[in-house]
Amino acid sequence: MRELSRDELSSCCASAAWVSKVSARGPFRDLGDLLRAGEEALAELTWADVLEALAAHPRIGERPAGEGREAAWSRAEQAGTAEAGRELLDRLREGNAAYERRFGHVFLVCATGKTAAEMLELLEKRLANDEETERKVVREELSAIVRLRLTKLWEGA
C-alpha cells in the first residue's frame, strides 16, 4: 500500500477537487488502483474544476520555467517543440491565441511523443470544434496527461 501526498497528486492534476477525490481513495495497492482512482475522479469534475486544471498547463510551444516536478514533466512532454523552427513556433503561438479567444482557455493536448507540426495540426483541426465537442476532447486529453503523470509519479520518474 502506498500513500501519495496532496502535493504529489497536484503535480499530476492541478484541480483541487481532483486531488481531494484521489487522496480520499488512498492508500493505493498498485498503479492500476491509482489509475482507476484518477480516472473516476476526472469523470466527476465540473467544467470549473477542469478549467482549474488547465490553468496550470503551459501553452504548447512555451517551455515552462521552474524546478518543480510539474514543470519538468511539462518540458519533457513538450520535447517535440524543442527543435521546432521559428516559423512553426510562431504558427503555434498564433494558433494558441486563436484557440484561447475561441474557447476561453489554453489549448490542451497530450504532447508526449508528438512533433510540433503534429500539435499544430491538431490545434488547427480543433479550432473547428463546437464548444461541447471541444470540452469532450479537452477532458480526453487531460485524462491522457494525468494517466501519464500518475504513472511517472508511481514509478518515481
Side-chain angles (χ1 to χ4, degrees), residues 24 33 37 41 50-52 54 72 76 88-89 98 115 118 126 128 132 151 156:
D33 192 29
V50 171
L51 290 175
E52 180 183 21
L54 294 179
L88 185 53
L89 290 174
T115 66
E118 289 169 327
R126 285 173 49 191
E132 182 181 339
T151 301

Side-chain angles (χ1 to χ4, degrees), residues 17-117:
W18 182 87
V19 170
S20 292
K21 290 172 190 291
V22 175
S23 183
R25 298 267 312 264
F28 303 98
R29 282 188 323 273
D30 55 29
L31 177 58
D33 192 29
L34 174 60
L35 293 175
R36 277 187 297 283
E39 283 296 317
E40 290 170 8
L42 279 172
E44 296 173 6
L45 294 184
T46 66
W47 185 246
D49 297 328
V50 171
L51 290 175
E52 180 183 21
L54 294 179
H57 286 269
R59 290 177 181 92
I60 295 296
E62 293 182 6
R63 310 270 296 162
E67 299 302 317
R69 178 185 292 128
E70 188 174 0
W73 285 347
S74 288
R75 283 190 297 272
E77 291 161 358
Q78 288 198 42
T81 64
E83 301 299 321
R86 177 63 28 212
E87 181 181 337
L88 185 53
L89 290 174
D90 286 346
R91 288 181 61 201
L92 276 169
R93 191 173 304 104
E94 292 165 9
N96 281 327
Y99 182 94
E100 289 174 26
R101 281 192 303 276
R102 173 137 168 70
F103 295 109
H105 56 79
V106 69
F107 169 69
L108 187 73
V109 65
C110 183
T112 300
K114 292 179 179 65
T115 66

